[in-house]
Amino acid sequence: MRAGIVKTLEELDRYSWSGHRAVIGKAKYSWMDTENVLATFGGTRRQALHAYRAFMAEGIGQGHVKELTGGGLIRSH
């Protein structure tokens, strides 16, 4: 979303090139530990998905975040 490839959470739900689809249960990647990701958001899957979506929605309004831009070497400089 920050790159402007998708504009809404609904578009992100359908976007194949993101781990987001796996986190919300619409794709399965054997290398991605979605349960561990969701566990940080709540005790049950339902609670976690609700909190995760709220977290994502809140992030949309933040726009450009300098700390998330430029790659590790640039950020650590």
Side-chain angles (χ1 to χ4, degrees):
M1 294 184 80
R2 291 188 196 282
I5 297 169
V6 297
K7 305 286 185 216
T8 66
L9 273 179
E10 292 74 22
E11 287 181 34
L12 186 59
D13 290 350
R14 296 185 302 272
Y15 185 67
S16 298
W17 304 103
S18 168
H20 171 80
R21 283 181 53 82
V23 173
I24 64 170
K26 293 193 177 202
K28 187 147 181 87
Y29 305 125
S30 61
W31 49 266
M32 190 171 180
D33 184 1
T34 58
E35 296 306 314
N36 193 36
V37 171
L38 287 175
T40 65
F41 288 94
T44 68
R45 181 168 179 77
R46 183 177 179 167
Q47 289 172 333
L49 283 170
H50 180 75
Y52 171 76
R53 287 194 73 80
F55 172 79
M56 293 296 292
E58 182 181 322
I60 293 170
Q62 293 178 0
H64 179 80
V65 177
K66 184 179 176 187
E67 293 81 16
L68 300 176
T69 304
L73 290 176
I74 293 170
R75 283 194 309 265
S76 63
H77 180 67

